[in-house]
Amino acid sequence: MIQFREKSKPADVGRIAALAAEIWREHYTDMIGPDQVEYMLENFQSAEVITRQIENEGYRYFVAEEDGDFLGYCALRMDAESDRLFLSKFYVRKSARGRGIGRQILRHVVGRFDVNSATTVWLTVHKGNADSIAAYEKMGFTLAEEVVVDIGNGYVMDDFRFECPAGTILHG
């Protein structure tokens, strides 16, 4: 049985970072290249970054877990100046894809926030990530805009921003 749990202990953070490395190397290497994957793992998905986000930046991390194995994870935070919930990270291990785990974890974590204060959930996704874009659209997300962000070291995130009413995720 799959369980969805919030995680913040150092051992759990280390496991999330290891899962991120596995997923990113498998999924994104062909899309953005191995050098940018390693750069992004170090600067956005490492245990140190995850710990800082939890302790200082208001992020909450959740995992989908089955028999002690982490199948996927996501990170969210409320936008301080709006009623929008930012889905910063949302990944499922290749061997667990196609089982509805993404939809289940998203429904669970959005339900952990007060929907009256979080009316919209938003995320960014790489423009070349067709499978993820299709999954987001199936969950009710719609394209809001194109976004290109300089992330340093000569790299950019060339993304789409998608958004969805929180109620659609909970009841859709």
Side-chain angles (χ1 to χ4, degrees), residues 80-103:
E81 67 284 342
S82 72
D83 60 353
R84 298 159 41 94
L85 186 61
F86 175 41
L87 180 58
S88 170
K89 297 170 175 67
F90 187 37
Y91 305 102
V92 176
R93 174 180 274 151
K94 184 177 184 175
S95 62
R97 291 182 199 141
R99 296 173 46 192
I101 293 169
R103 180 182 295 274

PDB file of all heavy atoms in Angstrom, residues 80-103:
ATOM      1  N   ALA A  80       4.271  33.815  -0.652  1.00  0.00           N
ATOM      2  CA  ALA A  80       4.047  34.717   0.477  1.00  0.00           C
ATOM      3  C   ALA A  80       3.075  35.844   0.147  1.00  0.00           C
ATOM      4  O   ALA A  80       2.309  36.279   1.000  1.00  0.00           O
ATOM      5  CB  ALA A  80       5.380  35.296   0.948  1.00  0.00           C
ATOM      6  N   GLU A  81       3.089  36.301  -1.093  1.00  0.00           N
ATOM      7  CA  GLU A  81       2.296  37.476  -1.446  1.00  0.00           C
ATOM      8  C   GLU A  81       0.991  37.159  -2.169  1.00  0.00           C
ATOM      9  O   GLU A  81       0.307  38.056  -2.627  1.00  0.00           O
ATOM     10  CB  GLU A  81       3.138  38.427  -2.303  1.00  0.00           C
ATOM     11  CG  GLU A  81       3.502  37.897  -3.691  1.00  0.00           C
ATOM     12  CD  GLU A  81       4.612  36.850  -3.699  1.00  0.00           C
ATOM     13  OE1 GLU A  81       5.364  36.731  -2.726  1.00  0.00           O
ATOM     14  OE2 GLU A  81       4.705  36.126  -4.698  1.00  0.00           O
ATOM     15  N   SER A  82       0.626  35.877  -2.269  1.00  0.00           N
ATOM     16  CA  SER A  82      -0.595  35.555  -3.016  1.00  0.00           C
ATOM     17  C   SER A  82      -1.268  34.332  -2.419  1.00  0.00           C
ATOM     18  O   SER A  82      -0.841  33.789  -1.407  1.00  0.00           O
ATOM     19  CB  SER A  82      -0.249  35.302  -4.486  1.00  0.00           C
ATOM     20  OG  SER A  82       0.432  34.068  -4.632  1.00  0.00           O
ATOM     21  N   ASP A  83      -2.326  33.906  -3.081  1.00  0.00           N
ATOM     22  CA  ASP A  83      -3.075  32.729  -2.648  1.00  0.00           C
ATOM     23  C   ASP A  83      -2.695  31.515  -3.489  1.00  0.00           C
ATOM     24  O   ASP A  83      -3.494  30.626  -3.704  1.00  0.00           O
ATOM     25  CB  ASP A  83      -4.575  33.007  -2.754  1.00  0.00           C
ATOM     26  CG  ASP A  83      -5.015  33.331  -4.174  1.00  0.00           C
ATOM     27  OD1 ASP A  83      -4.151  33.480  -5.070  1.00  0.00           O
ATOM     28  OD2 ASP A  83      -6.230  33.422  -4.402  1.00  0.00           O
ATOM     29  N   ARG A  84      -1.450  31.491  -3.950  1.00  0.00           N
ATOM     30  CA  ARG A  84      -1.011  30.448  -4.875  1.00  0.00           C
ATOM     31  C   ARG A  84      -0.009  29.511  -4.203  1.00  0.00           C
ATOM     32  O   ARG A  84       0.865  29.940  -3.473  1.00  0.00           O
ATOM     33  CB  ARG A  84      -0.401  31.099  -6.110  1.00  0.00           C
ATOM     34  CG  ARG A  84      -1.417  31.954  -6.864  1.00  0.00           C
ATOM     35  CD  ARG A  84      -0.804  33.001  -7.758  1.00  0.00           C
ATOM     36  NE  ARG A  84       0.342  32.564  -8.501  1.00  0.00           N
ATOM     37  CZ  ARG A  84       0.309  32.087  -9.744  1.00  0.00           C
ATOM     38  NH1 ARG A  84      -0.826  31.973 -10.366  1.00  0.00           N
ATOM     39  NH2 ARG A  84       1.412  31.748 -10.352  1.00  0.00           N
ATOM     40  N   LEU A  85      -0.164  28.237  -4.498  1.00  0.00           N
ATOM     41  CA  LEU A  85       0.710  27.202  -3.980  1.00  0.00           C
ATOM     42  C   LEU A  85       1.681  26.804  -5.090  1.00  0.00           C
ATOM     43  O   LEU A  85       1.251  26.424  -6.184  1.00  0.00           O
ATOM     44  CB  LEU A  85      -0.138  26.004  -3.547  1.00  0.00           C
ATOM     45  CG  LEU A  85       0.531  24.849  -2.842  1.00  0.00           C
ATOM     46  CD1 LEU A  85       1.172  25.304  -1.533  1.00  0.00           C
ATOM     47  CD2 LEU A  85      -0.504  23.759  -2.562  1.00  0.00           C
ATOM     48  N   PHE A  86       2.977  26.929  -4.825  1.00  0.00           N
ATOM     49  CA  PHE A  86       4.009  26.624  -5.809  1.00  0.00           C
ATOM     50  C   PHE A  86       4.443  25.170  -5.656  1.00  0.00           C
ATOM     51  O   PHE A  86       4.939  24.771  -4.603  1.00  0.00           O
ATOM     52  CB  PHE A  86       5.198  27.563  -5.615  1.00  0.00           C
ATOM     53  CG  PHE A  86       6.390  27.273  -6.490  1.00  0.00           C
ATOM     54  CD1 PHE A  86       6.248  26.914  -7.823  1.00  0.00           C
ATOM     55  CD2 PHE A  86       7.666  27.370  -5.975  1.00  0.00           C
ATOM     56  CE1 PHE A  86       7.356  26.655  -8.626  1.00  0.00           C
ATOM     57  CE2 PHE A  86       8.783  27.115  -6.757  1.00  0.00           C
ATOM     58  CZ  PHE A  86       8.616  26.748  -8.090  1.00  0.00           C
ATOM     59  N   LEU A  87       4.237  24.382  -6.683  1.00  0.00           N
ATOM     60  CA  LEU A  87       4.710  23.006  -6.737  1.00  0.00           C
ATOM     61  C   LEU A  87       6.094  23.051  -7.356  1.00  0.00           C
ATOM     62  O   LEU A  87       6.267  23.068  -8.568  1.00  0.00           O
ATOM     63  CB  LEU A  87       3.754  22.150  -7.571  1.00  0.00           C
ATOM     64  CG  LEU A  87       4.089  20.673  -7.741  1.00  0.00           C
ATOM     65  CD1 LEU A  87       4.195  19.972  -6.393  1.00  0.00           C
ATOM     66  CD2 LEU A  87       3.037  19.994  -8.618  1.00  0.00           C
ATOM     67  N   SER A  88       7.099  23.119  -6.496  1.00  0.00           N
ATOM     68  CA  SER A  88       8.473  23.346  -6.914  1.00  0.00           C
ATOM     69  C   SER A  88       9.123  22.102  -7.501  1.00  0.00           C
ATOM     70  O   SER A  88       9.889  22.184  -8.461  1.00  0.00           O
ATOM     71  CB  SER A  88       9.285  23.827  -5.711  1.00  0.00           C
ATOM     72  OG  SER A  88      10.657  23.849  -5.990  1.00  0.00           O
ATOM     73  N   LYS A  89       8.835  20.970  -6.893  1.00  0.00           N
ATOM     74  CA  LYS A  89       9.427  19.708  -7.344  1.00  0.00           C
ATOM     75  C   LYS A  89       8.327  18.665  -7.351  1.00  0.00           C
ATOM     76  O   LYS A  89       7.502  18.602  -6.430  1.00  0.00           O
ATOM     77  CB  LYS A  89      10.558  19.292  -6.401  1.00  0.00           C
ATOM     78  CG  LYS A  89      11.716  20.277  -6.391  1.00  0.00           C
ATOM     79  CD  LYS A  89      12.699  19.953  -5.276  1.00  0.00           C
ATOM     80  CE  LYS A  89      13.920  20.832  -5.313  1.00  0.00           C
ATOM     81  NZ  LYS A  89      13.677  22.223  -5.030  1.00  0.00           N
ATOM     82  N   PHE A  90       8.337  17.811  -8.394  1.00  0.00           N
ATOM     83  CA  PHE A  90       7.289  16.801  -8.520  1.00  0.00           C
ATOM     84  C   PHE A  90       7.829  15.694  -9.422  1.00  0.00           C
ATOM     85  O   PHE A  90       7.864  15.839 -10.642  1.00  0.00           O
ATOM     86  CB  PHE A  90       6.041  17.450  -9.127  1.00  0.00           C
ATOM     87  CG  PHE A  90       4.822  16.581  -9.171  1.00  0.00           C
ATOM     88  CD1 PHE A  90       4.522  15.699  -8.156  1.00  0.00           C
ATOM     89  CD2 PHE A  90       3.958  16.679 -10.236  1.00  0.00           C
ATOM     90  CE1 PHE A  90       3.381  14.924  -8.193  1.00  0.00           C
ATOM     91  CE2 PHE A  90       2.806  15.915 -10.298  1.00  0.00           C
ATOM     92  CZ  PHE A  90       2.516  15.037  -9.274  1.00  0.00           C
ATOM     93  N   TYR A  91       8.291  14.614  -8.814  1.00  0.00           N
ATOM     94  CA  TYR A  91       8.984  13.565  -9.560  1.00  0.00           C
ATOM     95  C   TYR A  91       8.568  12.186  -9.084  1.00  0.00           C
ATOM     96  O   TYR A  91       8.378  11.967  -7.885  1.00  0.00           O
ATOM     97  CB  TYR A  91      10.505  13.710  -9.394  1.00  0.00           C
ATOM     98  CG  TYR A  91      11.001  15.071  -9.784  1.00  0.00           C
ATOM     99  CD1 TYR A  91      11.310  16.021  -8.812  1.00  0.00           C
ATOM    100  CD2 TYR A  91      11.149  15.433 -11.120  1.00  0.00           C
ATOM    101  CE1 TYR A  91      11.745  17.288  -9.174  1.00  0.00           C
ATOM    102  CE2 TYR A  91      11.583  16.687 -11.476  1.00  0.00           C
ATOM    103  CZ  TYR A  91      11.884  17.605 -10.501  1.00  0.00           C
ATOM    104  OH  TYR A  91      12.309  18.858 -10.859  1.00  0.00           O
ATOM    105  N   VAL A  92       8.465  11.255 -10.033  1.00  0.00           N
ATOM    106  CA  VAL A  92       8.160   9.858  -9.728  1.00  0.00           C
ATOM    107  C   VAL A  92       9.212   8.988 -10.411  1.00  0.00           C
ATOM    108  O   VAL A  92       9.546   9.199 -11.583  1.00  0.00           O
ATOM    109  CB  VAL A  92       6.740   9.474 -10.215  1.00  0.00           C
ATOM    110  CG1 VAL A  92       6.464   7.984  -9.990  1.00  0.00           C
ATOM    111  CG2 VAL A  92       5.684  10.339  -9.519  1.00  0.00           C
ATOM    112  N   ARG A  93       9.722   8.033  -9.662  1.00  0.00           N
ATOM    113  CA  ARG A  93      10.716   7.078 -10.173  1.00  0.00           C
ATOM    114  C   ARG A  93      10.156   6.346 -11.401  1.00  0.00           C
ATOM    115  O   ARG A  93       8.976   6.009 -11.462  1.00  0.00           O
ATOM    116  CB  ARG A  93      11.043   6.090  -9.053  1.00  0.00           C
ATOM    117  CG  ARG A  93      11.931   4.968  -9.449  1.00  0.00           C
ATOM    118  CD  ARG A  93      12.202   4.038  -8.281  1.00  0.00           C
ATOM    119  NE  ARG A  93      13.342   4.590  -7.555  1.00  0.00           N
ATOM    120  CZ  ARG A  93      13.541   4.441  -6.259  1.00  0.00           C
ATOM    121  NH1 ARG A  93      12.689   3.776  -5.522  1.00  0.00           N
ATOM    122  NH2 ARG A  93      14.611   4.969  -5.702  1.00  0.00           N
ATOM    123  N   LYS A  94      10.999   6.105 -12.382  1.00  0.00           N
ATOM    124  CA  LYS A  94      10.581   5.487 -13.640  1.00  0.00           C
ATOM    125  C   LYS A  94       9.810   4.190 -13.420  1.00  0.00           C
ATOM    126  O   LYS A  94       8.772   3.967 -14.048  1.00  0.00           O
ATOM    127  CB  LYS A  94      11.804   5.236 -14.530  1.00  0.00           C
ATOM    128  CG  LYS A  94      11.444   4.687 -15.893  1.00  0.00           C
ATOM    129  CD  LYS A  94      12.671   4.526 -16.774  1.00  0.00           C
ATOM    130  CE  LYS A  94      12.272   4.074 -18.167  1.00  0.00           C
ATOM    131  NZ  LYS A  94      13.429   4.021 -19.056  1.00  0.00           N
ATOM    132  N   SER A  95      10.285   3.340 -12.524  1.00  0.00           N
ATOM    133  CA  SER A  95       9.641   2.047 -12.290  1.00  0.00           C
ATOM    134  C   SER A  95       8.250   2.178 -11.668  1.00  0.00           C
ATOM    135  O   SER A  95       7.485   1.215 -11.669  1.00  0.00           O
ATOM    136  CB  SER A  95      10.522   1.174 -11.396  1.00  0.00           C
ATOM    137  OG  SER A  95      10.695   1.780 -10.124  1.00  0.00           O
ATOM    138  N   ALA A  96       7.909   3.366 -11.153  1.00  0.00           N
ATOM    139  CA  ALA A  96       6.612   3.573 -10.514  1.00  0.00           C
ATOM    140  C   ALA A  96       5.658   4.408 -11.365  1.00  0.00           C
ATOM    141  O   ALA A  96       4.511   4.620 -10.971  1.00  0.00           O
ATOM    142  CB  ALA A  96       6.810   4.232  -9.152  1.00  0.00           C
ATOM    143  N   ARG A  97       6.108   4.873 -12.510  1.00  0.00           N
ATOM    144  CA  ARG A  97       5.248   5.710 -13.361  1.00  0.00           C
ATOM    145  C   ARG A  97       4.140   4.871 -13.985  1.00  0.00           C
ATOM    146  O   ARG A  97       4.278   3.670 -14.171  1.00  0.00           O
ATOM    147  CB  ARG A  97       6.080   6.376 -14.453  1.00  0.00           C
ATOM    148  CG  ARG A  97       7.024   7.416 -13.893  1.00  0.00           C
ATOM    149  CD  ARG A  97       7.841   8.123 -14.967  1.00  0.00           C
ATOM    150  NE  ARG A  97       9.000   8.732 -14.322  1.00  0.00           N
ATOM    151  CZ  ARG A  97      10.203   8.777 -14.843  1.00  0.00           C
ATOM    152  NH1 ARG A  97      10.439   8.292 -16.045  1.00  0.00           N
ATOM    153  NH2 ARG A  97      11.190   9.334 -14.180  1.00  0.00           N
ATOM    154  N   GLY A  98       3.042   5.542 -14.308  1.00  0.00           N
ATOM    155  CA  GLY A  98       1.918   4.872 -14.944  1.00  0.00           C
ATOM    156  C   GLY A  98       0.975   4.194 -13.961  1.00  0.00           C
ATOM    157  O   GLY A  98       0.038   3.508 -14.371  1.00  0.00           O
ATOM    158  N   ARG A  99       1.193   4.386 -12.669  1.00  0.00           N
ATOM    159  CA  ARG A  99       0.354   3.774 -11.637  1.00  0.00           C
ATOM    160  C   ARG A  99      -0.561   4.793 -10.954  1.00  0.00           C
ATOM    161  O   ARG A  99      -1.245   4.454  -9.998  1.00  0.00           O
ATOM    162  CB  ARG A  99       1.232   3.097 -10.584  1.00  0.00           C
ATOM    163  CG  ARG A  99       2.049   1.947 -11.119  1.00  0.00           C
ATOM    164  CD  ARG A  99       3.040   1.382 -10.134  1.00  0.00           C
ATOM    165  NE  ARG A  99       2.488   1.154  -8.807  1.00  0.00           N
ATOM    166  CZ  ARG A  99       3.238   0.893  -7.739  1.00  0.00           C
ATOM    167  NH1 ARG A  99       4.559   0.813  -7.840  1.00  0.00           N
ATOM    168  NH2 ARG A  99       2.675   0.697  -6.562  1.00  0.00           N
ATOM    169  N   GLY A 100      -0.553   6.034 -11.428  1.00  0.00           N
ATOM    170  CA  GLY A 100      -1.385   7.064 -10.821  1.00  0.00           C
ATOM    171  C   GLY A 100      -0.796   7.656  -9.553  1.00  0.00           C
ATOM    172  O   GLY A 100      -1.480   8.386  -8.832  1.00  0.00           O
ATOM    173  N   ILE A 101       0.469   7.358  -9.271  1.00  0.00           N
ATOM    174  CA  ILE A 101       1.092   7.848  -8.044  1.00  0.00           C
ATOM    175  C   ILE A 101       1.213   9.368  -8.053  1.00  0.00           C
ATOM    176  O   ILE A 101       0.996  10.024  -7.039  1.00  0.00           O
ATOM    177  CB  ILE A 101       2.465   7.171  -7.833  1.00  0.00           C
ATOM    178  CG1 ILE A 101       2.251   5.681  -7.553  1.00  0.00           C
ATOM    179  CG2 ILE A 101       3.246   7.846  -6.707  1.00  0.00           C
ATOM    180  CD1 ILE A 101       3.512   4.863  -7.592  1.00  0.00           C
ATOM    181  N   GLY A 102       1.545   9.936  -9.195  1.00  0.00           N
ATOM    182  CA  GLY A 102       1.659  11.391  -9.282  1.00  0.00           C
ATOM    183  C   GLY A 102       0.367  12.080  -8.908  1.00  0.00           C
ATOM    184  O   GLY A 102       0.353  13.002  -8.085  1.00  0.00           O
ATOM    185  N   ARG A 103      -0.730  11.636  -9.476  1.00  0.00           N
ATOM    186  CA  ARG A 103      -2.035  12.234  -9.170  1.00  0.00           C
ATOM    187  C   ARG A 103      -2.365  12.044  -7.688  1.00  0.00           C
ATOM    188  O   ARG A 103      -2.853  12.956  -7.024  1.00  0.00           O
ATOM    189  CB  ARG A 103      -3.124  11.620 -10.032  1.00  0.00           C
ATOM    190  CG  ARG A 103      -4.511  12.201  -9.761  1.00  0.00           C
ATOM    191  CD  ARG A 103      -5.587  11.532 -10.592  1.00  0.00           C
ATOM    192  NE  ARG A 103      -5.425  11.764 -12.011  1.00  0.00           N
ATOM    193  CZ  ARG A 103      -5.895  12.819 -12.671  1.00  0.00           C
ATOM    194  NH1 ARG A 103      -6.546  13.753 -12.007  1.00  0.00           N
ATOM    195  NH2 ARG A 103      -5.717  12.949 -13.958  1.00  0.00           N
TER     196      ARG A 103
END
